[in-house]
Amino acid sequence: IFVLFFVCWLNYCRWRLPFASSDQDLEMELGHLKHFSFHGLQSATDNFNSKNILGQGGFGVVYKGCLRNGTLVAVKRLKDPDVTGEVQFQTELELIGLAVHRNLLRLYGFCMTSKERLLVYPYMPNGSVADRLREYHHGKPCLDWSKRMQIAIGAARGLLYLHEQCNPKIIHRDVKAANILLDGSFEAVVGDFGLAKLLDRQDSHVTTAVRGTVGHIAPEYLSTGQSSEKTDVYGFGILLLELITGPKTLSNGHGQSQKGMIIDWG
């Protein structure tokens, strides 16, 4: 019902978009999600100041922001809202109705105008596993072994929830250190569902164009285009190797004794 409602709403908005101005927000409440105004998020991020960039990728740029009530947030401003940005926007909103778990990144709200698609998340003060994994503090790794174990267990719990407790199940398709975020207590939070797919329980896989990150893509997915929860398990295995060894999954050898993909190291 939620998905059907969302699709109908999205189609309605698409008919209305040509008549909306670039800064006119579409007034829409979607369940428990808050609708933010574009000007409000613009102010929260200091006009999307480059100094506030937390990260960026193929789908967009994430900015640190501070709402008027003092709440710190992460604002994802999606690129190309008419094509890929629209797909990610729709995907992440659809999944909110299905996945709520302490080890999954929750969504505060969204902003939608004729030219903008933005998603608002809680701010993660310790960044991502990728950020912290190779960081040292007073000559010691920022992530000690107890924290790494805690991260592995938390990420596993989040993925288990997606695979076993959601109906239809959710396949993340891009499990990697950069998408495992860390809250103030270094609790692992699985984030970035832009590539996620829904999979009915009676189906064994979903066939799509291959998407993901080099070094984290399962070989069978790369060769067949068929992804399932096993695809995520492969990515989780690579994450475990990173937690144990520290290096990036794909290295050019600079500053490290070995190069190539971590999975090929022997």
Side-chain angles (χ1 to χ4, degrees):
I1 295 175
F2 176 86
V3 175
L4 179 61
F5 169 78
F6 179 81
V7 171
C8 292
W9 165 69
L10 189 61
N11 287 334
Y12 168 77
C13 290
R14 283 171 175 165
W15 279 104
R16 294 293 300 273
L17 286 182
F19 303 98
S21 64
S22 61
D23 59 352
Q24 178 183 346
D25 292 295
L26 296 171
E27 293 297 332
M28 180 67 197
E29 294 294 333
L30 194 59
H32 62 282
L33 299 179
K34 177 178 175 58
H35 176 266
F36 290 90
S37 71
F38 179 75
H39 289 303
L41 296 181
Q42 196 173 30
S43 175
T45 58
D46 190 19
N47 196 25
F48 302 104
N49 194 312
S50 60
K51 295 180 180 179
N52 289 326
I53 292 178
L54 296 173
Q56 51 190 318
F59 287 117
V61 183
V62 181
Y63 299 85
K64 180 180 179 180
C66 184
L67 303 179
R68 292 182 64 181
N69 63 6
T71 301
L72 294 177
V73 294
V75 180
K76 181 188 289 186
R77 189 181 190 184
L78 300 175
K79 295 178 181 177
D80 194 13
D82 293 331
V83 188
T84 55
E86 188 68 77
V87 172
Q88 189 190 32
F89 184 78
Q90 180 178 349
T91 299
E92 299 215 19
L93 283 179
E94 283 180 353
L95 298 181
I96 292 305
L98 301 174
V100 179
H101 188 273
R102 63 178 292 184
N103 295 112
L104 299 178
L105 185 65
R106 62 192 179 96
L107 187 62
Y108 274 161
F110 64 98
C111 173
M112 183 177 182
T113 75
S114 61
K115 294 184 178 180
E116 297 281 354
R117 301 289 185 274
L118 301 101
L119 298 165
V120 183
Y121 304 92
Y123 171 67
M124 293 288 131
N126 284 308
S128 71
V129 173
D131 295 332
R132 303 282 84 85
L133 195 56
R134 288 162 286 276
E135 187 176 87
Y136 283 77
H137 184 66
H138 297 307
K140 296 182 179 180
C142 180
L143 298 180
D144 57 27
W145 287 115
S146 63
K147 284 190 177 72
R148 296 185 192 211
M149 179 67 74
Q150 176 184 343
I151 290 167
I153 293 173
R157 286 173 175 164
L159 292 173
L160 180 65
Y161 177 84
L162 294 176
H163 297 165
E164 298 296 333
Q165 298 182 41
C166 291
N167 189 18
K169 68 179 69 175
I170 298 173
I171 310 302
H172 189 281
R173 295 206 303 158
D174 199 18
V175 178
K176 60 181 180 179
N179 287 340
I180 308 299
L181 307 178
L182 300 171
D183 67 11
S185 302
F186 286 91
E187 182 79 21
V189 179
V190 181
D192 201 339
F193 290 85
L195 295 182
K197 289 291 182 181
L198 301 177
L199 180 63
D200 290 335
R201 296 209 163 269
Q202 65 268 25
D203 296 331
S204 61
H205 64 268
V206 58
T207 302
T208 65
V210 176
R211 302 291 296 275
T213 304
V214 174
H216 299 263
I217 302 174
E220 64 272 20
Y221 176 40
L222 194 60
S223 62
T224 66
Q226 297 179 350
S227 61
S228 68
E229 61 268 38
K230 296 177 183 179
T231 309
D232 288 350
V233 172
Y234 181 92
F236 178 72
I238 298 297
L239 172 65
L240 291 181
L241 287 177
E242 287 187 281
L243 286 172
I244 294 170
T245 65
K248 298 179 180 180
T249 56
L250 185 63
S251 171
N252 58 14
H254 296 309
Q256 297 174 187
S257 59
Q258 302 188 69
K259 61 181 180 179
M261 292 188 181
I262 192 173
I263 196 67
D264 296 326
W265 294 7

